[in-house]
Structures are given as structure tokens and as C-alpha cells.
Amino acid sequence: MTSEVSVPPASVVLVSGGSRGLGLAIVSDLLAAGVKVAAFARTVTPELTALGEKYPDQLYYGSVDINDAAAGQAFVKKVETTLGPIDALVNNAAIGQDSLHVHTSADHLAEIIQTNLTSPLVLTRFVLRRMLAKGLKGRIVNITSICAQRGYPGLVAYSATKGGMDAATRSLARELGGRILANAIAPGFFASEMSAVLGPTQLDQIVRRTPTGQLTEPDDVLPIVRMLLLENTNINGQVLVVDGAASI
Ligand SMILES: NC(=O)c1ccc[n+]([C@@H]2O[C@H](COP(=O)([O-])OP(=O)(O)OC[C@H]3O[C@@H](n4cnc5c(N)ncnc54)[C@H](OP(=O)(O)O)[C@@H]3O)[C@@H](O)[C@H]2O)c1
């Protein structure tokens, strides 16, 4: 006998930063699972365009800077008229950092905090207000990082933003009273444009310190995203670490 589903599986998912790296992998995976997906980034890549050609009725995408709140809100409204009401949000877009705190300008600090913390919270607020006004139940998945839980040089502001999103996830889960499930996924380091600053020596070091002996892959994160968006699990307000126990 199947148990009653209190929050139904997501049917229209908005993914920020869906043009490459983990975001693109999430978009592709959800489309293959039959979900309608909206994705944006500042630059639309050929890979995202190709997915649009493969799934013309399921994918809506465009060029939006998450720091331009008005553009983000216009995009959300366009998604709703094209795909239907958004009932899930994956906050994935972020920028990295590769500078010691003492060498990071105040402007750069502000840019990291704006892009990785303030703008995702503004977008979340906008999407949530529309979901609640429509009486929808739904899901939020924040992609954070192991950097929020362990220290890494060169990533002070970045780590602060990811810790901020982890904390926001817990309070959102409380505020939303189970009507909208809010969770975070904290991956370990994986190869992408963001982590390209890590040299082979640093990557080897991470692998050596990882009990599973494997660097995290975006593919390792996909089943967790799918579970949090589509399954009936009663997981709420949690940060799920996917790093092969590198941080343990
Ligand atoms: N790579 C890692 O080792 C690692 C580890 C743990 C957690 N994470 C987290 O995983 C997520 C994905 O990271 P990734 O490694 O896949 O990064 P990535 O390859 O650099 O992709 C980042 C995505 O975010 C978009 N983006 C960045 N700034 C944006 C802005 N202002 N407005 C709209 N979109 C923007 C990028 O597109 P545009 O630049 O064209 O806008 C791109 O689509 C991030 O939240 C990251 O913090 C990464």
C-alpha cells in the first residue's frame, strides 16, 4: 500500500545556473525524468540550447543575471505562462572564489555575497510568494557546499554564503510548515569551471583524504536532487552532504 503523498512530486522546476556544470546536469536529469524545467544563467550555452531542441515542450530557458531581480521576476512570469506554475526551485547558480580574505576587495566580497546569498534569497522569496498565493505545495533545494561545514583557504566569503544558505534552509523549513519542503545539498569538490582553480595536486590530495577514494561527480548529486524534488521522504530542513566522507 502506498502512503499518502503530502507534498506532491514537483512538476515545474526552476533551476538557476542551469547552463553548465552541476546545474546543466540537473536540468538534463530532470528532463529525462519527464519533469518540466526552466533554466537560466547569464550566458545560454550550446548544451542548454541542445536540450531545448530535444525537449521543446518541457524546457524553457533564457539569459538572466540573478543579480537583476526585475529580470529574474520577468523570467519567472514567462515560465509560468509557458510551462505552468512553478512548484519547485533549485538554487544552484553561484560564483566561486580564489583569493585569500586579506586580498579580497570589499567590492569582490559584496559581489560574492550578492550572487550566492542575497539574490538566491530574493528569488526564493518571489517564487515562494507566487506558490503560496496559488495554494501550491512545493519544494526548494539549495545547492550549498561542504565549505559551509569545513574550512578551506581562499574561500572565506564563498563559505560564508554557503553557510548562510544552509541556515536559511533550516529556517525556511520551519516557516513553511511542511507545505513546501526546503532542503540543501552540500557537495564536496567536483570538476567544473568553478573548481578549475584547483590544481592536480590539490585534487589528488582531496581524493587521498576521501574514504571512497573518489572525487565527487555531478552524477553523484543528481539522485539526491531527484529524490528531494520528486520523492515522498519527509526529509525537510536538512543539509545532505555528498562527498564520499572526505569531510568526516
Ligand atoms: N564545483 C565544485 O567543486 C562545487 C562544490 C560544492 C558546491 N558547488 C556548488 O554547486 C553549484 C554549481 O557549481 P558548478 O561547479 O557547477 O559551477 P559552474 O560550472 O561555475 O556553474 C555555475 C552556474 O551558475 C551560473 N551563474 C553564475 N553567476 C550567475 C549570475 N550572476 N546569474 C545567473 N547565473 C549565474 C553560471 O552561468 P553564467 O556564468 O553564464 O551566468 C553557471 O550556469 C554552485 O552553487 C556551487 O557553489 C560546487
Side-chain angles (χ1 to χ4, degrees):
M1 193 173 75
T2 49
S3 58
E4 196 190 333
V5 178
S6 52
V7 178
S11 56
V12 178
V13 182
L14 175 60
V15 181
S16 71
S19 65
R20 58 179 150 85
L22 178 59
L24 180 70
I26 292 171
V27 170
S28 177
D29 188 61
L30 292 175
L31 289 169
V35 177
K36 289 184 183 170
V37 182
F40 71 84
R42 287 168 299 182
T43 304
V44 170
T45 56
E47 291 82 2
L48 185 57
T49 307
L51 283 177
E53 284 160 9
K54 189 171 172 191
Y55 298 97
D57 302 328
Q58 245 178 284
L59 174 63
Y60 182 79
Y61 61 92
S63 166
V64 175
D65 185 334
I66 198 168
N67 297 325
D68 180 345
Q73 293 173 6
F75 183 80
V76 165
K77 290 179 185 168
K78 196 76 208 303
V79 172
E80 287 175 348
T81 53
T82 313
L83 298 179
I86 294 168
D87 58 3
L89 169 64
V90 179
N91 278 310
N92 165 81
I95 54 172
Q97 182 182 4
D98 180 28
S99 54
L100 297 177
H101 194 56
V102 289
H103 294 153
T104 307
S105 69
D107 282 352
H108 192 197
L109 274 179
E111 183 196 7
I112 294 167
I113 292 168
Q114 181 71 42
T115 307
N116 296 4
L117 182 62
T118 310
S119 293
L121 290 180
V122 170
L123 178 65
T124 300
R125 173 184 182 276
F126 187 72
V127 170
L128 277 176
R129 284 171 68 91
R130 297 179 77 80
M131 281 166 61
L132 294 170
K134 292 179 175 75
L136 292 174
K137 293 184 174 183
R139 321 234 181 168
I140 293 176
V141 175
N142 294 321
I143 305 297
T144 63
S145 170
I146 196 60
C147 296
Q149 303 180 30
R150 295 284 180 274
Y152 296 92
L155 288 165
V156 169
Y158 174 85
S159 303
T161 63
K162 295 300 180 176
M165 287 303 286
D166 280 354
T169 302
R170 288 184 282 273
S171 292
L172 271 172
R174 277 268 163 221
E175 268 193 26
L176 294 166
R179 211 170 133 183
I180 291 161
L181 305 176
N183 290 289
I185 301 174
F189 289 95
F190 58 85
S192 76
E193 207 162 295
M194 182 179 287
S195 58
V197 292
L198 295 175
T201 322
Q202 284 162 298
L203 290 177
D204 283 351
Q205 206 175 34
I206 295 168
V207 172
R208 273 203 309 279
R209 281 188 195 158
T210 306
T212 58
Q214 289 169 23
L215 203 62
T216 304
E217 300 277 348
D219 278 359
D220 301 330
V221 180
L222 300 181
I224 314 301
V225 177
R226 229 182 298 131
M227 174 183 75
L228 293 175
L229 291 175
L230 304 177
E231 301 295 326
N232 183 26
T233 63
N234 206 23
I235 298 173
N236 196 16
Q238 302 302 310
V239 180
L240 305 184
V241 176
V242 182
D243 76 340
S247 59
I248 298 297

